């Protein structure tokens, strides 16, 4: 999962749901002679999100009158330590959204507080409807190997870090949308010469810088060559000493030295940067789809995959899913676990995916029956990219997943990089030191 701040922004602004081109299977009925009550925790606390989830509960209850859903809405932080404490004490919800990574889902698996969901994945055809690259982030082995073993969650939504552009700004400058990195660099030079800020960035509060670095790194990795990065992120070994990461860092430093970023970017927060971009203060903005809801009011703003590097036909796109829904050990009986799985299947269904779409969120339940609202072109942009990314198995990673301390390490390193206090090579040294230390700790 992305870092907590990106989750907060994404929850505030947009969502994506996930599946493949396969249609949704018929939902088997849950047979029970007695009533079942399920407590459910989620983080969908904004009005349109509430509308989608509440309607899903209403529809599910109509199909399963013997199952009662007691929904409870929480903050992201409540879904971490408080959830763990509630489950450890023998209480807590039977269904909950659980953050990926070792500190959260991995810790709950280690304490045997989550229920393996492979049997339900087969029953409801989740392994056919969801790409392996998505399900893998919710898998943990008995040896607590990330990305392997049993499935412990299914996410209804997803997100990407991509390339926003303001067509009105480009038209005024006499430029088209750049398709390659060579074109992007040439366009930014022309924009700078015309007195227009080429690229928006807000580096003050972290995250935005490391997301840009990661996006530029993965944009150089073709999906057919993704295995080394997968192994790195899923703690199976590898190194951050990658020439492509060095190249990405050098590119960011070069853009800063040439004045391609909005003036004063080091003192601007990422949300403020997004607002400045929304108001036409730059031509380009590399950031996540969590800003899609905010940007849809400006019809000049569009979304695309990053311009391509030479020789990379299907580049990885930084991204992931939202917090997946898991079944917890608070579901003590088979009837409760079966009911929980049926409810989760409702939440990741094509019907709910289309509900997200109609409420202005990108439901990438990528099906032939996707119904996109005609009055939201930005949603259509993002949906098109999401479909292509998943067809090419090109959904990449948030690289801070690699270790429990990587988010802090990379945020601090990018700050130093952009301030001229660290070289690109030194940045990879620092990241790799963090990674190798963590990998060594796993063998003890």
């Amino acid at each position: 999962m992305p870092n907590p701040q990106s989750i907060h922004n994404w929850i505030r602004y947009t969502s994506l749901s996930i599946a493949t081109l396969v249609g949704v299977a018929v939902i088997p009925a849950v047979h029970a002679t007695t009533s079942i009550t399920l407590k459910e925790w989620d983080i969908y606390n904004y009005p349109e999100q509430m509308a989608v989830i509440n309607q899903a509960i209403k529809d599910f209850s109509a199909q399963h009158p013997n199952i009662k859903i007691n929904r409870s809405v929480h903050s992201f932080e409540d879904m971490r330590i408080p959830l763990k404490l509630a489950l450890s004490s023998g209480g807590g919800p039977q269904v909950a959204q659980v953050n990926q990574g070792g500190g959260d889902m991995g810790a709950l698996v280690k304490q045997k507080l989550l229920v393996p969901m492979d049997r339900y994945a087969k029953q409801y055809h989740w392994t056919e409807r969801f790409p392996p690259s998505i399900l893998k982030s919710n898998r943990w082995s008995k040896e607590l190997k990330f990305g392997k073993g049993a499935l412990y969650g299914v996410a209804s939504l997803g997100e990407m870090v991509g390339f926003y552009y303001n067509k009105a700004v480009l038209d005024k400058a006499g430029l088209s949308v750049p398709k390659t990195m060579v074109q992007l660099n040439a366009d930014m030079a022309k924009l700078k010469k015309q007195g227009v800020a080429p690229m928006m960035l807000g580096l003050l509060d972290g995250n935005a810088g490391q997301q840009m670095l990661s996006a530029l790194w993965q944009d150089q990795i073709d999906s057919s060559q993704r295995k080394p990065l997968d192994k790195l992120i899923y703690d199976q070994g590898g190194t951050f000493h990658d020439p492509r990461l060095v190249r990405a860092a050098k590119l960011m430093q070069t853009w800063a030295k040439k004045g391609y970023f909005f003036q004063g970017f080091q003192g601007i927060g990422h949300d403020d940067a997004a607002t400045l971009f929304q108001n036409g203060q730059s031509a380009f903005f590399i950031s996540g789809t969590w800003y899609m809801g905010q940007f849809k009011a400006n019809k000049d703003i569009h979304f695309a995959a990053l311009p391509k590097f030479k020789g990379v036909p299907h580049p990885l796109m930084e991204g992931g899913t939202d917090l997946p829904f898991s079944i917890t050990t608070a579901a003590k009986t088979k009837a409760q676990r079966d009911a929980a799985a049926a409810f989760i299947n409702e939440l990741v269904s094509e019907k709910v995916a289309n509900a997200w779409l109609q409420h202005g969120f990108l439901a990438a339940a990528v099906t032939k029956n996707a119904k996109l609202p005609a009055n939201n072109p930005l949603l259509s942009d993002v949906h098109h990219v999401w479909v292509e990314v998943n067809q090419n198995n090109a959904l990449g990673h948030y690289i801070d997943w690699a270790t429990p301390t990587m988010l802090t390490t990379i945020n601090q390193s990018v700050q130093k990089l952009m301030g001229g206090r660290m070289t690109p090579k030194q940045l990879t040294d620092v990241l790799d030191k963090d990674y190798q230390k963590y990998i060594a700790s796993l063998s003890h």
Side-chain angles (χ1 to χ4, degrees):
M1 193 61 208
N3 54 68
Q5 184 60 48
S6 75
I7 293 171
H8 171 78
N9 288 330
W10 168 80
I11 289 299
R12 184 177 177 184
Y13 296 121
T14 188
S15 307
L16 301 167
S17 80
I18 302 157
T20 62
L21 292 171
V22 180
V24 176
V26 175
I27 302 175
V30 177
H31 299 289
T33 57
T34 58
S35 62
I36 299 169
T37 297
L38 297 177
K39 288 182 287 184
E40 183 265 358
W41 288 15
D42 66 64
I43 60 173
Y44 298 132
N45 57 2
Y46 286 84
E48 291 184 325
Q49 296 169 329
M50 297 278 282
V52 172
I53 299 301
N54 287 337
Q55 185 62 48
I57 292 173
K58 183 178 179 180
D59 292 344
F60 179 79
S61 297
Q63 296 170 16
H64 306 281
N66 63 300
I67 302 174
K68 181 180 179 181
I69 306 296
N70 285 341
R71 182 186 180 215
S72 180
V73 183
H74 295 256
S75 69
F76 169 75
E77 288 302 325
D78 283 347
M79 302 302 283
R80 304 187 72 216
I81 303 302
L83 175 62
K84 184 178 178 181
L85 291 174
L87 295 175
S88 297
S89 67
Q94 286 79 26
V95 176
Q97 285 184 286
V98 178
N99 189 34
Q100 296 105 321
D104 296 306
M105 183 177 283
L108 295 179
V109 171
K110 183 178 181 180
Q111 294 186 26
K112 301 187 186 317
L113 295 175
L114 298 182
V115 175
M117 298 168 64
D118 297 270
R119 179 168 71 85
Y120 300 114
K122 182 178 180 180
Q123 177 181 349
Y124 292 112
H125 305 283
W126 295 336
T127 53
E128 297 171 24
R129 290 159 48 198
F130 291 74
S133 58
I134 286 175
L135 292 180
K136 196 170 184 179
S137 63
N138 304 321
R139 292 191 179 278
W140 288 86
S141 71
K142 292 179 181 178
E143 299 77 27
L144 292 181
K145 295 290 186 181
F146 187 23
K148 289 185 174 183
L151 182 70
Y152 286 97
V154 184
S156 64
L157 312 171
E159 58 193 22
M160 303 172 287
V161 174
F163 187 67
Y164 289 101
Y165 61 92
N166 188 312
K167 193 172 185 302
V169 173
L170 293 181
D171 287 346
K172 187 176 181 180
L175 299 172
S176 59
V177 181
K179 302 297 183 184
T180 69
M181 275 294 162
V182 172
Q183 292 172 349
L184 175 61
N185 279 287
D187 287 352
M188 289 201 292
K190 293 175 183 177
L191 288 162
K192 179 69 167 59
K193 192 173 183 179
Q194 294 181 28
V196 178
M199 182 72 70
M200 185 59 66
L201 177 63
L203 205 62
L204 179 63
D205 40 16
N207 298 328
Q210 62 97 353
Q211 286 164 359
M212 178 180 287
L213 176 69
S214 179
L216 291 170
W217 179 22
Q218 293 179 65
D219 195 37
Q220 300 173 67
I221 303 173
D222 193 78
S223 61
S224 64
Q225 306 295 322
R226 66 175 296 149
K227 191 170 291 185
L229 181 64
D230 290 343
K231 291 179 67 176
L232 185 77
I233 299 303
Y234 291 121
D235 301 330
Q236 297 169 26
T239 179
F240 278 85
H241 288 134
D242 185 338
R244 293 166 298 193
L245 178 56
V246 174
R247 185 180 183 185
K250 284 182 177 178
L251 193 57
M252 288 179 64
Q253 266 195 342
T254 299
W255 289 351
K257 290 176 181 177
K258 290 185 175 182
Y260 290 169
F261 291 119
F262 186 85
Q263 188 173 2
F265 69 92
Q266 291 197 4
I268 299 173
H270 51 76
D271 284 348
D272 290 333
T275 299
L276 287 167
F277 174 72
Q278 182 185 4
N279 293 333
Q281 296 302 302
S282 73
F284 308 119
F285 185 44
I286 296 175
S287 192
T289 50
W290 46 85
Y291 285 122
M292 183 184 66
Q294 176 181 346
F295 291 164
K296 70 179 181 180
N298 186 339
K299 300 304 181 184
D300 293 321
I301 294 177
H302 296 270
F303 183 87
L306 266 67
K308 292 181 178 179
F309 286 86
K310 186 177 180 180
V312 188
H314 301 299
L316 296 182
M317 195 161 182
E318 181 183 6
T321 70
D322 72 330
L323 279 65
F325 287 93
S326 299
I327 302 173
T328 78
T329 50
K332 301 184 185 303
T333 67
K334 182 179 182 299
Q336 281 185 316
R337 293 190 291 272
D338 289 349
F343 178 58
I344 290 172
N345 191 60
E346 174 77 15
L347 295 175
V348 301
S349 67
E350 180 179 318
K351 181 178 182 180
V352 173
N354 274 316
W356 285 117
L357 285 170
Q358 295 309 310
H359 281 78
F361 303 105
L362 177 63
V366 185
T367 74
K368 60 184 179 182
N369 299 316
K371 300 173 183 176
L372 294 165
N375 64 348
N376 193 339
L378 183 57
L379 178 73
S380 297
D381 289 346
V382 178
H383 184 268
H384 174 78
V385 175
W386 182 258
V387 171
E388 185 174 349
V389 164
N390 280 286
Q391 285 178 337
N392 293 326
N393 192 33
L395 186 64
H397 298 285
Y398 293 102
I399 61 175
D400 57 276
W401 283 1
T403 79
T405 55
M406 185 59 72
L407 178 61
T408 299
T409 299
I410 192 171
N411 275 344
Q412 292 175 348
S413 297
V414 171
Q415 291 274 8
K416 292 178 181 178
L417 175 81
M418 300 301 279
R421 292 173 286 127
M422 178 178 282
T423 68
K425 174 63 167 59
Q426 288 172 333
L427 179 141
T428 62
D429 289 342
V430 171
L431 301 190
D432 198 62
K433 182 179 179 181
D434 183 301
Y435 184 74
Q436 301 305 338
K437 180 180 179 181
Y438 179 64
I439 291 296
S441 74
L442 296 178
S443 61
H444 296 316

